[in-house]
Structure formats: C-alpha cells, structure tokens
C-alpha cells in the first residue's frame, strides 16, 4: 500500500472512531438521563406502548392470567413469589419467541426492604445508601427488584410538624435517587389499619399528610394493599396497584367483575384460590360479562414495569461487598435511640459493687439480652409476677441499692402489664432506672421523659444483643426517633453516647474474614485431638470488638466436664503481667512508687542474717575444679569473685575472709526487677521443700550401696509405707527398714503437716498438705540472703517479680489480690479473675492442672502449679492467678486503650507507653515480653506487640498496631507436665497467626456464597 493510500485509510479510520465515540457518548448521555427521572414522573410508564402491545398480542389467555393473578406463598412473609423461573433480562422477549416462553420472564417478585422502620431512625445517610444499594443489588441478581420503600403511613398520622414532613420529603427524594439508579421499582404498602387514616384525608386535601401522599403518588411505582383495596384516595395514581385478596373469599360473579374493573393491576391470592379466581375470570369473559381489553390495559402497565426493572444498573459496584448479616446488624445498631439520659446515666460508668437487676414486664425472659448484660456486670433477672404480694415494694427496696433495667417488649394497652408498670413507675428514680422498649413505640405514651429510655424497632435476637451492649457502652448510640408519639417524644428526639467498652460482634464488623477466621477453631480442635491439651479457651478482640470468645474440649481427657466460657485456668506466668506488672503500673502512675526506687524502701525490716552464710572466698585462679557450676566461663568473665563461695571452686591458692556483700536484694531498683536485670540469683530458696524425697532416697541408695555394694531402683510412691520392691533384691533386717521408714517420715514432717493447724500449719498446698508456718518465715529469711551479682545482664527470673509483688503488698498493707480487685478488676467488671479460686468457685468451674508426682503427690485442682507460688501461699507475683479468657481480654483491652475502659481511667497513658516500649538490650518491655525468637507469639504479630506466656499452656498478646487482643488458655500439663505437644505443634503461635491471616485488606473482595448480600 502506498503512503497516500495509507494516509487516506488512517484518516477514514480516525473519522470512524470519532463518529463511533460520539454516538456512544450520546447514547450514554441519553441512558444517564433516562435514569435521572424528573420529579412527578414514573419512569416505566415512558416506555412506548407499541412494543408492549406486540408482546401482549402473543400471550394466550392463560398466560395473561398468570401475570395478573399471583399466588402468595405463606412461608415467605411480606414477599410475593410464584413458581416461574425468573432472572433473565426482558430484552430477550421478541416477536419470534413463543408466547409461553416470553411470559415466563414476567414472573413478579416483590421484596420488602428489611426493618424499614429502623431506617428512619438512622442519621447516617451514607450507611442508609449502602444498605439499600446492597438490598437492591441482591434483588438485581435474583430478579426481585420490586421493593417497598421505608415508609409507614401510620408514622405520619396526625403529624403537623413541618420538620417531620421535610424529613420524609428528603428521605423520599433520597430513596428515589437510589432506586432509579438501580432500576428498581419502588412502592409502598398500605394495611387495613391505615384505611381510617386515608378516609380522614378525603375531605382535607390541604392536610400536610394528604399533600405528602400526593407527592408519593407522583413518584412511586406501585402501591400494595395487603387486603381488599380502598382505592379512592388513589384515584389519580398512574402506577401499578397490587392487592391481596382476603382469605376464604367467595369468588362470585359480582366480586370478580368488581375486582377486574377496579384500578388493581395484580391480584395476590391464597394458594388454593388462584385457579378458582382464574376460572371465574374465564367464565365471565366467555359470557361477555368482562371485557378482555381491561386485562390488556393492566398487562400493558405490568409488562412496562418489568421491562424497566430488568435493565442493568449503570453505576459501578463497590470493591468490597459487605455481608447481609453485617448490614442488618449495623442497621439495628445505628437505629437504636437513646431518648432520655438523665444525668448522663448511660452508658453505665461505674459497675463496681453496684447490683444490677433486669425486670421483665411481659411474663417471659429473653436469654440473649440477659447473657449480654452479664458480659459486663453481674445481673439478676426478675420476672414480673402480678399476683405476688408487695412485689412492687420489694423491687423498690432493690432499687435503693442498685440499678434496675425494665424491659418492655410487648404492647402496654389495657393489660396486667400496663397496670403493673404504672404501679412500678411510681417508685422509679431517674438516678438508677433504665427502660428498654422493644418495637412498640406506642409504649412511649406511658414512659416519663425523666427516666433513661432506649428505643429499639424490633424484637430480633440482634436487637436484644445490642440493647444490652448499649446500656454499658459496648456500642455508641446515635439513632433518632423516626416518628412522633406525643409532645414528649417528638420526631428526631435523641441523645448520643460514645463506645466505652468492648463490643460483641461478628468478625466482618472488625475487618476479619469469617471464613478465614474459622482456622482458629480448626487449630484449637487439632490441639485437643493431638493430645496437646484436653481443652482450651480462645479470646480475640480487634478494634475493641470481640469476635471470638469460645471454649473447646474438656477439663480432662476423661471428657466428663466440657470447658465453659466462665471456667478458670491456672495462668502460670501470665500472672506476671495480669497482676504484678499492672499493679506496679497503677501504683507508679498514682505516685506511690518510682521505677528508680530501691526495693529496700518498701520494707520496714531490711536486716539480713549472714550468720548462716559460708565465708566469701576471694579466688586466685591457678587451677580449679568446675564440675559443680554450669557456664563457668561466662561466670568468670563477670569478674565477680566476691560472691563466689567456696563450694563453687576448688583452687590451689585461696584467701578466706568474712565479708558482708556489697550488694543485696534491697539495693536493687524496681526497674531492674521489671527488666529482669537485677542480678539476683534466679531461683527462690524452695528446693529443699520440693525435693526432700529425692534427696533422701539418694542418700539411702548411697548408704545401701556402701553396705551391700549395689541396690535396686527406688520408685516414687505417694504414701510413707516403703514399697515391697525397696530396696530391691536386698535383704534388710526389719529394724533397718523401720529406721528408714521413720527417717522418711521425719524428713516430711519437718516441713509439712497433713492437717490444718491454726498458727502452726495453715499454708495450704493441697487438700491434705500444709506448709508449716515457721518455714514460711524461713523462706523469706533465705530470700533476703539471695546473692546479687554486680553485673546487670538479662536473666529471666521468677524471683524478680515475686520481690516486686512483695514490695507492692508491703506498701499497700494488703495482699495484691485485694489491691487489684478494689482498684482494677472489680471496676472493670471482671468476674472470674482471682487468686486462690477455691475460695470462690466449686471445682466444676476450675480446670485442673497436673498430677504432681514429685512432692505434693496428687492432682492440683484449684491449687497453683508453680512451687514457689504454692509455698508462698498461692497469692504471689509470678504465678497463682486464675481467670477465664474473657476477663483477661477485657483487662488488656483497657491496657490497649491507654489505661481507659468504660470511660474510667485506670492507668496513665504515659505509664503504659513506658512499660510497653521495647528495650533493645532485653527484647522486652517492663514486665512484658515482646516478640523475639524465644517468645510464644504468632509470626505475623507486629514488633510492638507485648504480652506473656505461661508454663501451663497459656499466652496473652496485645498488638497496638493492629489493635488486637489475643488470649489462649489451656492446661497442657494435665496430667503430665512432660507433655509439650503444644510447643511441638506450635498450637498457640498458629492460632495467633490465623487471626492475622483473617484480616481483610482494602483490596480484598469477600468470596461469593454465604458472605454476599442476601445470604445470612
């Protein structure tokens, strides 16, 4: 091709492209204009009649009647369906197809937007738009795109408030724009109870409601009567009229003729009446008592509506599809109205030591409401008993002590409940009375505006769930009253609150994929089936929203008692952060302590008895013997020969001197204890109490070997009777056996007693084992003598946290348990967390740990596993705390919130920042562990995460970057402490990672299926 021809071709091609683009632009513009409908127009009526008439001409009489008379399926409330297959685009209809094939595309399906009354109470129009668009988007995919708009004629009855009508006008325009964009037909439902309202407006055309109805008639596509229609008020309505024929209607000639000649376009019949009605129409047509032209007029309007409603939406779909479940939940949450809030009673701020009661006025209790109230505070539920003597007086007595929540979820009109409510109302006080009214707005006529009142719009389980959370600040309240009931409760009345506590919700609400989050449960169950533990609890909160709070498995492998959410576990070393560290943060923030304070500041008696200490040995190293000390090279590098005693080394030249150590525990600052850099020997002086049997048996074996040359194995045993096999194959005289037996008993009774003896043996170690009090004092004396090395190197140690706890107790003059309950735990509403759980709970609520076969010889059930904690009384800094996962989650949500929870500040934010800051030399915070190669933490947790793990198979992690609180509790050491499968299979780390794997990123689109709109 020559250059000239090529140039000519390119010009023609460019011109063609320009023309094509121009035509496309014009077409698109026309399409856009066709979507934006001017006010007072019904868009589907603008479709030309000629195409519609050609379609009608192809329909048989039976096919016409199939479009005019529709069966209502009673099992689908407020919806209209039929058996035909629908969903194909009406553009498929043409003159070449059979009439029967074409008519199947006209299957009507009307769906009411769920909970429409909630929408008028919502002030967040962005959410409303998204909610309706989601509904319409679902309808678009299922051909159910005839929708009722959120409108109730009863809401307008008697209203003369111009602002209320402006609101309804605004919402109508708002809904109309969304519906038109989505090519959905919008209609209203009129019920029999509305007919009186319509009748009252016939002669009052200037009434504000009449004017609004006129506006409706000019802008909606259809009206649906759910009984015999009263159409006079709609005499000039151009859209479709759909009517439900009453049940058991007798279809005589007069009635059928009246119906067909009425403005009704589609008739809804009961299933048994459909064919009867159709046959009656046929007989009237055959007898020339009906004009088939009337049917065609109705069909023309119906088919136009279908053509318009089956067009595809022109707007772009959102990148991320929210589940219908989440949208419906948000609909309920955002529509809850706080109508009155005297003195800022709601959300409840202080719950410590305040009794709460829920009073059900309607003779029934909803467990969902009670269960969720109990997540925040201990609540007693009281059922109204009409015939009980002085019931009202008893309730008023309770009200003087606490807060009473009155629940109304039925209509109070001329009932015993109303009489009782009026009686109770006389004793209600604004300071401690809360009324929760479900659905029945008419009840507002009986509720004084001086009392705190929460209004909801239905009685679903979601309503009960969020009503409870609204009381305690689990959700923020922002809804308005969407109607008028009286002068006290006018349109748009509302109070607003902030979210102040944890919210209990579905994963998607917290930005987590519920399908991916199921991996958490899968791994937890895998741990049970693999024998890593008999049962566990998992708690996950993200962004202050609880998405998992579940229990799995059983207390033991006997599978007799399943783990419940309120069962408590031995937390082991998680106690270090859940008790001691938090107490230290609180006290330092309150100015009672300082990180640089020396430990000795908090004890009256800091004298140390050195008379029992062997003389210090200053060592001149020539040759030495090191078998009795591990890591001696590292030890020597510290150049700390002052504290090397003469049992550590055997040297050729030594100088023995008596010296008082330059360092001791009382000279260590608190910050070094929290950093585990104190230099204090890392073991409490308790080994002789734990291993007395092992040492004694060792001595016996050595003695027997010296006598007989050899001896057989010596087995552990629970009683003090020597086993028959001891000494194995050795003939000992009875006198020697008796002597051994007596020595063994003496060794035991030196430290312990099998019975409680006041002021002598009252430190309980198990059901039948007590430490003698004098040795409790000896442990403290020996603790004061613990060596302290001069060089500060990181060495994780129980001793550090135990000493810190002792300092806290000394300063407060009370045990740490009492201090924490009064200042932290009770105010947070924590109900399970405690030391010494047997004081409060039966064993059925306490998950047992291991069977001790070393020194206590028995099942540890409610008695702390950690030996140091046990010998010190069970209320110690390093271990001894019991809790369920939920209470730990709440406690550390407070820490994640920078010390605030329930609108109460517990710990100063600066203190929390200080304690949770990573210290590079230890890879820890103050008291807190942080992600490192040894930590039991998910690999995806941020480096700023902080938490701790415990020997019994527990861990807790807070991630401030991702706002995640993760708690895992188990009894992995039941019954055998040597069971480390939880570590082998990395159960805790994998569950933690599964939470991060479920985070929905901005670019993610949730998968089709149960998560898309329309399926719950």
């Amino acid at each position: 091709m020559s250059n000239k021809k090529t140039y000519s071709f390119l010009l023609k091609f460019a011109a063609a492209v320009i023309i094509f683009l121009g035509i496309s632009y014009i077409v698109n513009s026309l399409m856009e204009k066709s979507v934006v409908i001017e006010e007072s127009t019904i868009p589907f009526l603008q479709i030309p009649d000629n195409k519609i008439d050609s379609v009608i001409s192809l329909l048989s009489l039976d096919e016409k009647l199939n479009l005019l008379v529709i069966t209502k399926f009673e099992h689908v409330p407020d919806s209209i369906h039929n058996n035909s297959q629908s969903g194909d685009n009406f553009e498929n209809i043409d003159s070449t197809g059979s009439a029967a094939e074409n008519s199947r595309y006209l299957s009507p399906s009307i769906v009411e937007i769920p909970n429409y009354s909630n929408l008028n109470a919502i002030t967040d129009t962005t959410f409303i738009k998204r909610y309706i668009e989601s509904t319409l988007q679902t309808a678009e995919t299922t051909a159910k795109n005839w929708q009722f708009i959120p409108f109730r004629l009863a809401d307008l009855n008697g209203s003369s408030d111009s602002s209320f009508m402006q609101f309804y006008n605004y919402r109508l325009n708002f809904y109309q724009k969304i519906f038109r964009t989505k090519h959905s037909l919008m209609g209203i439902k009129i019920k029999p109870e509305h007919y009186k309202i319509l009748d009252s407006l016939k002669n009052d055309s200037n009434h504000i409601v009449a004017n609004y109805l006129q506006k409706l008639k000019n802008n909606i596509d259809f009206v649906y009567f759910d009984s015999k229609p009263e159409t006079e008020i709609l005499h000039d309505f151009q859209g479709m009229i759909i009517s439900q024929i009453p049940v058991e209607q007798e279809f005589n000639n007069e009635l059928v003729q009246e119906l067909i000649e009425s403005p009704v376009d589609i008739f809804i019949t009961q299933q048994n009446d459909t064919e009867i009605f159709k046959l009656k129409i046929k007989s009237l047509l055959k007898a020339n008592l009906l004009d088939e032209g009337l049917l065609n007029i109705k069909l023309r309007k119906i088919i136009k509506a279908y053509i318009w409603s089956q067009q595809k939406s022109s707007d772009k779909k959102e990148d991320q599809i929210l589940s219908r479940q989440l949208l419906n939940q948000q609909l309920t949450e955002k529509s809850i109205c706080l109508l009155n809030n005297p003195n800022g009673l709601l959300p409840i701020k202080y719950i410590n030591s305040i009794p709460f009661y829920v009073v059900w006025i309607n003779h029934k209790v909803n467990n969902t409401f009670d269960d969720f109230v109990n997540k925040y505070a201990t609540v007693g539920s009281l059922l109204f008993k009409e015939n009980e003597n002085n019931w009202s007086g008893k309730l008023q007595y309770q009200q003087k002590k606490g807060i009473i929540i009155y629940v109304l979820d039925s209509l109070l009109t001329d009932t015993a409940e109303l009489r009782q409510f009026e009686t109770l109302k006389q004793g209600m006080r604004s300071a401690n009375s809360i009324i929760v009214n479900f659905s029945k707005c008419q009840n507002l006529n009986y509720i004084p505006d001086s009392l705190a009142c929460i209004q909801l719009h239905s009685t679903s389980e979601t309503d009960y769930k969020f009503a409870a959370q609204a009381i305690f600040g689990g959700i923020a309240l922002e809804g308005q009253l969407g109607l008028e009931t009286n002068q006290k409760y006018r349109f748009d009345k509302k109070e607003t609150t902030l979210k102040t506590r944890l919210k209990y919700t579905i994963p998607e609400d917290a930005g987590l994929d519920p399908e991916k989050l199921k991996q958490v449960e899968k791994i937890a169950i895998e741990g049970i089936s693999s024998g890593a533990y008999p049962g566990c609890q998992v708690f996950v909160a993200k962004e202050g929203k609880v998405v998992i709070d579940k229990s799995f498995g059983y207390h033991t492998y006997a599978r007799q008692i399943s783990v419940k959410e309120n069962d408590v576990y031995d937390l082991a070393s998680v106690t270090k952060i859940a008790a001691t560290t938090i107490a230290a943060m609180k006290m330092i923030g309150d100015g009672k302590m300082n990180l640089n304070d020396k430990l000795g500041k908090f004890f009256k008696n800091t004298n140390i008895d050195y008379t029992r200490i062997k003389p210090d040995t200053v060592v001149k190293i020539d040759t030495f013997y090191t078998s009795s000390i591990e890591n001696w090279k590292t030890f020597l590098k510290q150049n700390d020969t002052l504290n090397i005693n003469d049992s550590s080394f055997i040297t050729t030249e030594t100088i023995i001197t008596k010296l008082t150590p330059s360092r001791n525990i009382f000279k260590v600052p608190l910050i070094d204890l929290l950093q585990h850099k104190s230099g204090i020997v890392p073991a409490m002086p308790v080994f002789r109490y734990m291993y007395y049997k092992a040492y004694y048996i060792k001595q016996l074996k050595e003695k027997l070997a010296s006598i007989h040359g050899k001896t057989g194995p010596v087995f552990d045993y629970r009683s003090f009777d020597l086993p028959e096999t001891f000494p194995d194959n050795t003939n000992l005289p009875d006198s020697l056996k008796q002597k051994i037996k007596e020595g063994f008993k003496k060794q035991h009774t030196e430290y312990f007693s099998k019975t409680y003896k006041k002021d002598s043996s009252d430190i309980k170690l198990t059901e039948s084992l007590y430490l003698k009090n004098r040795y409790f004092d000896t442990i403290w004396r020996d603790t004061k003598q613990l060596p302290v090395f001069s060089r500060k190197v990181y060495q994780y140690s129980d001793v550090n946290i135990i000493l810190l706890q002792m300092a806290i107790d000394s300063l407060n003059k009370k045990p740490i348990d009492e201090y924490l309950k009064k200042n932290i735990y009770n105010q947070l509403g924590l109900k399970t967390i405690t030391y010494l759980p047997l004081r409060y709970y039966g064993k059925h609520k306490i998950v047992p740990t291991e069977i001790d076969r070393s020194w206590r010889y028995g099942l540890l059930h409610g008695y702390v596993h950690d030996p140091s904690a046990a010998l010190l009384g069970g209320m110690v800094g390093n271990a001894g705390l019991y809790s369920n996962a939920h209470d730990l989650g709440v406690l550390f949500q407070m820490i994640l919130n920078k010390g605030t929870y329930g609108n109460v500040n517990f710990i100063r934010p600066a203190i929390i920042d200080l304690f949770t800051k990573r210290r590079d030399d230890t890879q820890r915070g103050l008291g807190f562990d942080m992600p490192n190669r040894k930590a039991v933490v998910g690999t995806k947790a941020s480096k700023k995460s902080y938490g701790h793990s415990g020997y019994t198979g527990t861990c807790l992690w807070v991630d401030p970057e991702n706002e995640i609180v993760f708690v895992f509790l188990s009894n992995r050491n039941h019954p055998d402490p040597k069971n480390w499968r939880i570590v082998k299979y990395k159960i805790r780390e994998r569950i933690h990672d599964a939470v991060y794997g479920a985070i929905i990123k901005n670019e993610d689109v949730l998968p089709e299926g149960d998560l898309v709109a329309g399926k719950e």
Side-chain angles (χ1 to χ4, degrees):
M1 184 182 293
S2 65
N3 291 338
K4 186 174 181 181
K5 289 182 178 180
T6 301
Y7 182 71
S8 175
F9 171 79
L10 290 174
L11 283 176
K12 291 178 181 179
F13 179 76
V17 169
I18 292 170
I19 293 171
F20 174 77
L21 293 175
I23 293 173
S24 299
Y25 175 78
I26 294 171
V27 170
N28 288 333
S29 298
L30 290 173
M31 290 180 66
E32 290 178 4
K33 289 180 180 179
S34 68
V35 173
V36 182
I37 306 299
E38 296 294 330
E39 190 173 358
S40 302
T41 60
I42 299 176
F44 74 82
L45 294 177
Q46 299 174 13
I47 296 175
D49 292 342
N50 54 1
K51 180 177 181 180
I52 305 305
D53 291 339
S54 67
V55 173
I56 292 174
S57 66
L58 297 173
L59 298 176
S60 67
L61 178 58
D62 284 336
E63 290 166 339
K64 291 179 180 180
L65 293 178
N66 286 341
L67 298 175
L68 293 169
V69 183
I70 309 298
T71 300
K72 176 179 182 179
F73 287 88
E74 297 294 347
H75 65 277
V76 185
D78 295 322
S79 301
I80 304 168
H81 304 283
N82 71 3
N83 292 320
S84 302
Q85 298 295 320
S86 61
D88 298 85
N89 194 295
F90 194 81
E91 294 298 323
N92 292 330
I93 295 180
D94 57 48
S95 58
T96 61
S98 69
E101 182 179 355
N102 285 332
S103 67
R104 75 184 182 88
Y105 294 108
L106 308 180
S107 311
S109 188
I110 304 174
V111 180
E112 182 171 358
I113 293 179
N115 302 318
Y116 61 86
S117 60
N118 296 57
L119 288 174
N120 287 338
I122 294 176
T123 58
D124 182 357
T125 54
T126 301
F127 167 77
I128 297 174
K129 182 175 183 292
R130 185 168 197 173
Y131 179 81
I132 295 178
E133 284 181 341
S134 174
T135 303
L136 300 183
Q137 183 172 314
T138 304
E140 183 179 320
T141 62
T142 58
K144 297 182 177 72
N145 48 353
W146 293 24
Q147 310 282 327
F148 294 117
I149 62 170
F151 165 83
R152 294 199 312 183
L153 186 61
D155 293 348
L156 298 173
N157 185 29
S159 174
S160 58
D161 189 334
S162 61
S163 63
F164 186 29
M165 298 310 302
Q166 288 173 4
F167 167 76
Y168 255 74
N169 283 326
Y170 166 77
R171 283 291 170 91
L172 176 62
N173 294 332
F174 180 69
Y175 298 143
Q176 184 184 35
K177 182 177 180 181
I178 301 172
F179 273 73
R180 297 298 185 241
T181 302
K182 289 289 184 181
H183 271 269
S184 289
L185 298 175
M186 52 188 283
I188 62 170
K189 179 189 289 186
I190 298 180
K191 299 182 179 182
E193 57 262 33
H194 301 153
Y195 293 166
K196 289 183 179 180
I197 302 173
L198 295 173
D199 288 338
S200 68
L201 301 176
K202 290 177 182 178
N203 301 319
D204 189 3
S205 59
N206 294 322
H207 193 282
I208 191 169
V209 178
N211 291 334
Y212 183 76
L213 283 174
Q214 187 62 43
K215 180 179 177 66
L216 272 177
K217 288 187 293 183
N218 292 332
N219 289 276
I220 60 175
D221 303 302
F222 66 92
V223 174
Y224 172 79
F225 291 89
D226 65 358
S227 64
K228 183 180 178 181
E230 296 287 340
T231 59
E232 184 175 347
I233 193 70
L234 301 172
H235 67 277
D236 55 351
F237 178 56
Q238 299 299 309
M240 284 184 298
I241 297 177
I242 305 170
S243 177
Q244 181 174 319
I245 305 302
V247 180
E248 299 178 355
Q249 181 68 57
E250 183 181 350
F251 291 110
N252 54 46
N253 289 350
E254 293 76 12
L255 174 64
V256 173
Q257 188 169 3
E258 177 188 347
L259 291 172
I260 296 300
E261 292 176 351
S262 74
V264 177
D265 300 299
I266 297 178
F267 301 93
I268 312 300
T269 61
Q270 304 303 313
Q271 193 167 9
N272 296 331
D273 295 336
T274 303
E275 293 306 317
I276 298 173
F277 189 30
K278 290 179 181 178
L279 288 173
K280 184 62 69 173
I281 295 173
K282 286 182 180 181
S283 66
L284 290 174
L285 289 171
K286 188 175 182 179
N288 292 321
L289 296 176
L290 277 182
D291 182 1
E292 189 171 349
L294 290 175
L295 304 184
N296 294 338
I297 293 172
K298 299 178 188 295
L299 287 169
R300 182 183 294 149
K301 195 181 295 185
I302 295 169
I303 295 172
K304 283 184 180 183
Y306 278 114
I307 291 176
W308 190 86
S309 67
Q310 289 296 309
Q311 297 178 58
K312 297 299 182 183
S313 302
S314 59
D315 60 326
K316 294 181 179 180
K317 294 182 179 180
E318 298 180 19
D319 293 334
Q320 183 176 316
I321 302 173
L322 295 182
S323 72
R324 192 72 196 171
Q325 184 183 11
L326 176 59
L327 286 168
N328 283 337
Q329 177 178 289
Q330 291 177 340
L331 181 76
T332 297
E333 180 184 348
K334 289 177 175 291
S335 65
I336 299 175
C337 309
L338 176 58
L339 301 180
N340 312 314
N341 195 20
N343 302 315
L345 178 61
L346 298 176
I348 298 296
K349 186 174 182 180
Y350 298 105
I351 60 178
N352 183 24
S353 301
I354 300 175
F356 289 84
Y357 303 93
V358 176
V359 176
W360 294 85
I361 304 296
N362 64 345
H363 301 291
K364 64 180 180 179
V365 173
N366 182 277
N367 291 329
T368 298
F369 183 83
D370 279 6
D371 289 346
F372 276 89
V373 169
N374 271 289
K375 287 183 180 294
Y376 299 99
T378 301
V379 176
S381 187
L382 305 174
L383 191 63
F384 154 59
K385 298 179 181 179
E386 182 181 10
N387 298 323
E388 183 176 340
N389 293 331
N390 197 28
W391 198 88
S392 176
K394 293 178 181 178
L395 196 57
Q396 291 179 29
Y397 173 75
Q398 298 288 357
Q399 186 167 265
K400 293 178 181 178
K401 301 188 298 181
I403 291 178
I404 299 184
I405 303 166
Y406 298 89
V407 181
L408 304 174
D409 57 359
S410 60
L411 192 61
L412 294 177
T413 53
D414 299 323
T415 62
E417 287 92 342
L418 176 58
R419 293 192 298 273
Q420 182 66 24
F421 184 72
E422 290 292 341
T423 302
L424 294 176
K425 193 165 62 175
Q426 298 174 14
M428 294 180 187
R429 300 186 302 175
S430 61
N432 50 12
S433 297
I434 301 166
I435 299 177
V436 183
N437 187 42
F438 288 93
S439 180
K440 307 301 182 182
C441 292
Q442 300 96 312
N443 289 341
L444 295 177
N445 290 314
Y446 309 106
I447 299 174
D449 58 1
S450 60
L451 300 176
C453 178
I454 296 175
Q455 175 68 48
L456 294 96
H457 301 279
S458 58
T459 55
S460 69
E461 290 300 288
T462 303
D463 287 278
Y464 288 113
K465 171 182 173 181
F466 282 108
Q469 299 189 57
I471 293 170
F472 292 93
I475 61 173
L477 294 180
E478 58 187 55
Q480 66 182 4
L481 189 59
L483 48 78
E484 292 185 1
T485 59
N486 53 48
Q487 291 300 311
K488 293 182 297 183
Y489 293 103
R490 304 292 299 273
F491 160 72
D492 79 2
K493 180 176 176 60
K494 68 172 182 178
E495 302 259 1
T496 59
T497 65
L498 298 176
K499 179 182 180 299
T500 61
R501 290 185 172 91
L502 280 169
K503 173 184 179 182
Y504 299 85
T505 184
I506 58 177
E508 194 182 350
D509 190 26
L512 296 171
D513 185 327
E515 289 300 313
K516 293 180 179 178
L517 199 62
K518 289 179 181 178
Q519 191 70 12
V520 168
E521 182 171 343
K522 181 179 178 182
I523 299 170
I525 294 172
E526 176 194 323
I528 296 170
S529 61
S530 65
Y533 43 78
C536 65
Q537 291 177 345
V538 182
F539 175 96
V540 177
K542 187 176 187 297
E543 299 171 1
K545 302 168 184 176
V546 179
V547 295
I548 296 179
D549 182 16
K550 295 191 67 175
S551 299
F552 305 89
Y554 298 85
H555 282 207
T556 70
Y557 290 108
R559 300 170 67 89
Q560 293 177 336
I561 303 176
S562 60
V563 181
K564 300 177 180 61
E565 290 181 6
N566 284 326
D567 292 345
V568 296
Y569 281 85
D570 182 341
L571 302 184
S573 286
V574 172
T575 303
K576 291 180 171 72
I577 59 170
T580 313
T581 300
I582 283 184
M585 295 165 75
K586 172 69 173 170
M587 294 183 70
I588 290 171
D590 291 347
K592 295 181 178 180
M593 283 181 156
N594 190 290
L595 283 173
N596 294 318
D597 287 341
K598 300 286 196 304
L599 194 59
K601 177 179 178 180
F602 306 101
F603 296 92
K604 291 182 178 180
N605 183 0
T606 58
N607 294 325
I608 301 175
D609 180 10
Y610 287 110
T611 58
R612 295 175 62 253
I613 300 179
K614 294 182 178 181
D616 293 321
T617 304
V618 179
V619 183
K620 178 181 179 182
I621 303 296
D622 281 337
T623 60
F624 47 85
Y625 175 70
T626 61
S627 63
S628 62
I629 184 168
E630 297 179 0
N631 301 322
W632 57 269
K633 289 183 178 179
T634 302
F635 193 79
L636 289 177
K637 285 181 180 179
Q638 296 179 23
N639 296 318
D640 194 353
T641 59
L642 180 64
N643 291 291
I644 301 175
N645 62 40
D646 57 1
S647 65
S648 298
F649 292 81
I650 298 175
T651 67
T652 56
E653 296 182 36
T654 61
I655 303 173
I656 309 297
T657 59
K658 272 194 176 281
L659 293 173
T660 299
S662 62
R663 287 177 58 79
N664 60 58
I665 64 168
F666 296 121
K667 297 181 180 180
V668 175
L670 302 187
I671 190 170
D672 286 352
L673 299 175
L674 287 160
Q675 293 181 106
H676 292 285
K677 292 177 65 176
S678 66
I680 302 172
V681 172
M684 290 293 290
V686 296
F687 293 109
R688 61 169 160 164
Y689 309 101
M690 296 168 53
Y691 301 120
Y692 67 93
K693 290 188 178 182
Y695 289 143
Y696 188 69
I697 290 172
K698 181 180 178 183
Q699 292 172 4
L700 287 176
K701 292 178 71 175
E702 291 174 351
K703 188 171 183 179
L704 288 170
S706 67
I707 297 173
H708 301 281
K710 66 176 182 178
T711 185
V714 180
F715 299 98
D716 290 343
Y717 47 90
R718 296 181 62 171
S719 72
F720 294 106
D721 294 327
L722 292 177
E724 294 179 0
T725 55
F726 176 78
D728 192 20
N729 297 324
T730 302
N731 294 320
L732 293 176
D734 291 341
S735 60
L736 180 56
K737 289 183 179 180
Q738 183 65 27
K739 187 175 181 179
I740 293 173
K741 181 178 179 181
E742 291 173 355
F744 204 59
K745 283 187 176 181
K746 182 179 180 182
Q747 188 81 8
H748 173 268
T749 55
E750 175 69 21
Y751 305 128
F752 306 110
S753 169
K754 287 188 175 182
T755 59
Y756 169 82
K757 297 177 183 178
K758 186 178 180 182
D759 298 328
S760 173
S761 303
D762 54 16
I763 296 131
K764 197 169 186 179
L765 303 174
T766 67
E767 292 293 334
S768 58
L769 191 65
Y770 297 82
L771 178 68
K772 291 185 176 179
N773 290 19
R774 68 174 181 269
Y775 284 102
F776 184 83
D777 297 333
T778 300
I779 292 173
W780 172 233
R781 183 195 65 193
D782 293 345
T783 300
K784 292 194 291 183
Q785 296 172 358
L786 289 174
V788 181
F789 304 123
S790 60
R791 186 169 179 181
K792 294 182 179 181
V793 293
Y794 168 71
Q795 189 173 36
Y796 178 77
S797 166
D798 287 344
V799 175
N800 294 322
I801 304 301
I802 291 173
L803 290 173
L804 179 59
Q805 166 258 318
M806 288 179 173
I808 291 170
D809 289 358
S810 177
L811 183 61
N812 289 325
K813 296 181 174 59
K814 65 178 66 171
I816 192 169
D817 189 42
E818 288 185 28
Y819 174 78
L820 286 170
K821 283 184 176 180
K822 179 180 179 181
N823 294 280
I824 303 286
Y825 296 163
N826 290 348
Q827 292 188 44
L828 285 171
L830 309 187
K831 291 179 282 188
T832 69
I833 192 166
T834 187
Y835 285 96
L836 306 178
L838 288 168
R839 294 188 302 181
Y840 308 100
Y841 312 124
K843 286 189 175 181
H844 66 283
K845 285 195 63 175
I846 305 171
V847 181
T849 52
E850 70 182 58
I851 296 176
D852 187 338
R853 294 184 173 89
S854 62
W855 64 289
R856 278 179 282 183
Y857 287 91
L859 176 64
L860 302 181
H861 195 174
Y863 297 95
V864 59
H865 159 271
D866 183 80
S868 297
L871 288 163
L872 290 170
M875 211 180 302
V876 189
N878 71 312
L881 200 63
Y882 283 72
S883 179
N884 68 350
H886 176 270
D887 277 5
L888 286 175
V890 173
L891 178 61
F892 282 91
Q893 183 66 45
M894 179 269 289
I895 299 298
L896 179 58
N897 292 351
K898 301 293 185 183
T900 298
Y901 193 80
N903 210 27
V904 176
N905 182 260
F906 294 89
I907 300 172
R908 288 170 44 205
I911 296 296
I912 291 177
D913 291 340
L914 178 64
F915 272 68
T916 58
K917 178 182 178 181
R918 180 183 290 270
R919 294 167 186 270
D920 293 334
D921 55 340
T922 63
Q923 299 301 305
R924 297 176 64 96
L926 295 180
F928 293 98
D929 198 1
M930 302 190 82
N932 58 71
R933 63 184 181 86
K934 293 184 178 181
V936 180
V937 61
T939 60
K940 299 177 182 178
S942 74
K943 290 185 177 181
K944 292 184 178 180
S945 299
Y946 49 88
H948 218 286
S949 58
Y951 176 86
T952 52
T954 59
C955 72
L956 182 150
W957 289 97
V958 179
D959 185 342
E961 283 192 358
N962 293 288
E963 296 185 68
I964 292 175
V965 177
F966 170 70
V967 183
F968 178 91
L969 303 182
S970 76
N971 54 336
R972 69 95 204 152
N973 55 330
H974 179 86
D976 186 355
K978 295 179 182 178
N979 176 16
W980 288 104
R981 290 186 181 94
I982 194 172
V983 174
K984 178 181 178 181
Y985 301 129
K986 295 186 178 296
I987 300 294
R988 291 170 289 184
E989 297 92 328
R990 288 166 55 206
I991 291 178
H992 199 192
D993 275 339
V995 176
Y996 287 90
I999 295 176
I1000 300 172
K1001 300 178 176 61
N1002 291 333
E1003 64 271 18
D1004 288 347
V1005 176
L1006 292 180
E1008 297 291 332
D1010 291 343
L1011 299 185
V1012 299
K1015 292 189 178 182
E1016 299 185 14

